[in-house]
Amino acid sequence: MKANVGIIGLGTVGSALLKQVEALPGYTVKTLAVRRKTKQTALFSYPVTDNAFELIEDPEIDIIFEAINNSEDALAYAKRALTLGKTFISASKAMLANELADLHRIEQECGGTLLYEAAVGGAIPVLRTIREHLGGEDIFKVRGIVNGSCNYILTSMLNEDLSFDEALQNAQILGYAESDPSSDVDGVDSYYKALILAHTINKSAPSLSRIKVEGIRNLESHELKKAYREGQKVKLIAEIEKNGEQYKVDVRPRLIDQTDGLYYVDGVNNAIEIDTAHAGRLILQGQGAGGHPTASAMIGDLVNAQTKREQRIRELLLQI
């Protein structure tokens, strides 16, 4: 029997999700939710609603993907789905960064499941790596390129001699940047991802001792070229450092040289370094922007959650 899935949002990520779920054995799309019904949405072979709560309340839908760009709505959907004990898979960085503690409380009280691997690093399984593979480690520092849009813009400005505005426009055309790119280019998106990383490392809401956030909006191509001639590149880097029981979060453009592992990470790629007490330094790298990489991480959450449920059922049956 196939599990029924609902998808909220049919933008770049939601459309990619739809294609990937359609190709996934064991799952079927039951309903799609959009902001407004149009002639285009009427062409879908699935029921389409402009009221996402109808999808969430449907007793035949157990798994809900949320892929919208509205934090307030995403939070309302997440709370309702978790209260009903459903699996809610999200990539809404702002909503998650600000509300994780409360959402985890609802998850525990009501039996729902909140999954959000796609919120940091696109296709890179960094949260799962920290949570499952480094759960017993002392992680004292994480730094990386966590915004594919900004990395694409900086790479284009350097390699193609484009202005910031020209590189940004290309990123928007290719679906790497939103129509309102402020969150990306002003460093806010990277800050949200840093908060989620800190929460994951700390296993609860972190206490922050210092916050610094700066974006790339004021950088010019001649500055990037000058740095390159001197053997350096400019990268927007998010850094989370543990200091006792508190964390410092620092997001800003930095000059790095060829000895730095992040130097060669270009285009939409992300890379994250994890410094640990026993395992040393781990580096994870992959695509960090675009519909299909983000959707792939959300599908990974779905499959992993189903595998864990099946394992738990087998354990319970063995106890009978």
Side-chain angles (χ1 to χ4, degrees):
M1 183 177 177
K2 290 188 175 183
N4 286 326
V5 170
I7 299 176
I8 302 174
L10 280 177
T12 302
V13 175
S15 298
L17 263 173
L18 178 58
K19 292 179 181 178
Q20 292 187 30
V21 174
E22 286 176 331
L24 192 66
Y27 300 90
T28 185
V29 176
K30 174 73 163 45
T31 308
L32 306 173
V34 295
R35 186 187 303 173
R36 290 184 302 272
K37 290 183 180 181
T38 64
K39 291 181 180 179
Q40 185 177 359
T41 59
L43 299 175
F44 285 111
S45 57
Y46 308 102
V48 178
T49 179
D50 56 7
N51 182 354
F53 287 106
E54 288 183 2
L55 181 156
I56 294 168
E57 302 280 350
D58 187 335
E60 295 184 0
I61 295 177
D62 298 317
I63 302 157
I64 299 160
F65 287 105
E66 174 268 303
I68 63 174
N69 192 28
N70 183 310
S71 298
E72 185 176 340
D73 287 348
L75 177 60
Y77 301 153
K79 285 184 173 181
R80 186 56 184 156
L82 294 174
T83 299
L84 292 172
K86 301 195 176 192
T87 296
F88 191 82
I89 303 173
S90 173
S92 295
K93 285 86 66 174
M95 181 271 287
L96 291 163
N98 292 314
E99 305 292 344
L100 261 180
D102 192 37
L103 291 174
H104 281 314
R105 177 188 59 78
I106 298 171
E107 180 185 29
Q108 293 169 2
E109 290 177 357
C110 301
T113 302
L114 175 66
L115 301 168
Y116 48 92
E117 183 63 56
V120 181
I124 305 172
V126 60
L127 300 181
R128 192 175 303 125
T129 297
I130 292 172
R131 189 184 300 113
E132 298 181 10
H133 302 289
L134 299 174
E137 267 285 2
D138 178 17
I139 298 173
F140 54 86
K141 186 176 181 180
V142 174
R143 69 187 284 268
I145 298 167
V146 295
N147 186 283
S149 304
C150 286
N151 206 40
Y152 175 85
I153 291 169
L154 292 174
T155 301
S156 297
M157 289 173 67
L158 175 62
N159 293 346
E160 301 174 37
D161 196 24
L162 300 179
S163 68
F164 170 82
D165 289 335
E166 290 169 334
L168 170 59
Q169 185 177 30
N170 286 348
Q172 290 171 321
I173 291 171
L174 293 170
Y176 298 147
E178 300 288 344
S179 55
D180 179 0
S182 300
S183 181
D184 289 325
V185 301
D186 292 332
V188 178
D189 177 82
S190 294
Y191 167 65
Y192 288 147
K193 292 170 180 175
L195 286 184
I196 295 170
L197 283 165
H199 193 291
T200 306
I201 295 165
N202 197 53
K203 300 180 178 66
S204 62
S207 173
L208 303 178
S209 62
R210 188 184 75 185
I211 300 170
K212 180 178 178 63
V213 181
E214 181 183 338
I216 66 168
R217 190 186 292 271
N218 296 322
L219 292 175
E220 297 186 11
S221 59
H222 71 84
E223 296 175 296
L224 276 59
K225 286 186 172 296
K226 180 178 182 295
Y228 187 71
R229 287 195 299 269
E230 296 172 355
Q232 298 177 308
K233 285 183 181 178
V234 179
K235 296 290 185 182
L236 182 66
I237 295 177
E239 185 171 288
I240 305 99
E241 187 170 4
K242 188 176 181 181
N243 183 17
E245 297 301 314
Q246 294 186 308
Y247 292 83
K248 295 185 292 184
V249 174
D250 191 336
V251 177
R252 57 191 161 107
R254 293 175 183 263
L255 281 170
I256 59 174
D257 61 29
Q258 297 177 26
T259 64
D260 193 305
L262 303 179
Y263 180 90
Y264 298 99
V265 180
D266 291 326
V268 296
N269 287 321
N270 282 193
I272 301 164
E273 297 178 346
I274 306 171
D275 288 334
T276 71
H278 305 294
R281 173 172 291 176
L282 285 74
I283 303 177
L284 304 177
Q285 182 175 339
Q287 292 189 58
H292 281 288
T294 304
S296 175
M298 299 176 82
I299 293 293
D301 271 340
L302 171 66
V303 174
N304 280 304
Q306 182 65 24
T307 300
K308 288 179 181 178
R309 279 195 295 270
E310 291 172 355
Q311 181 179 352
R312 180 58 179 156
I313 290 171
R314 286 194 294 270
E315 291 172 353
L316 290 171
L317 288 174
L318 289 173
Q319 296 173 10
I320 296 175

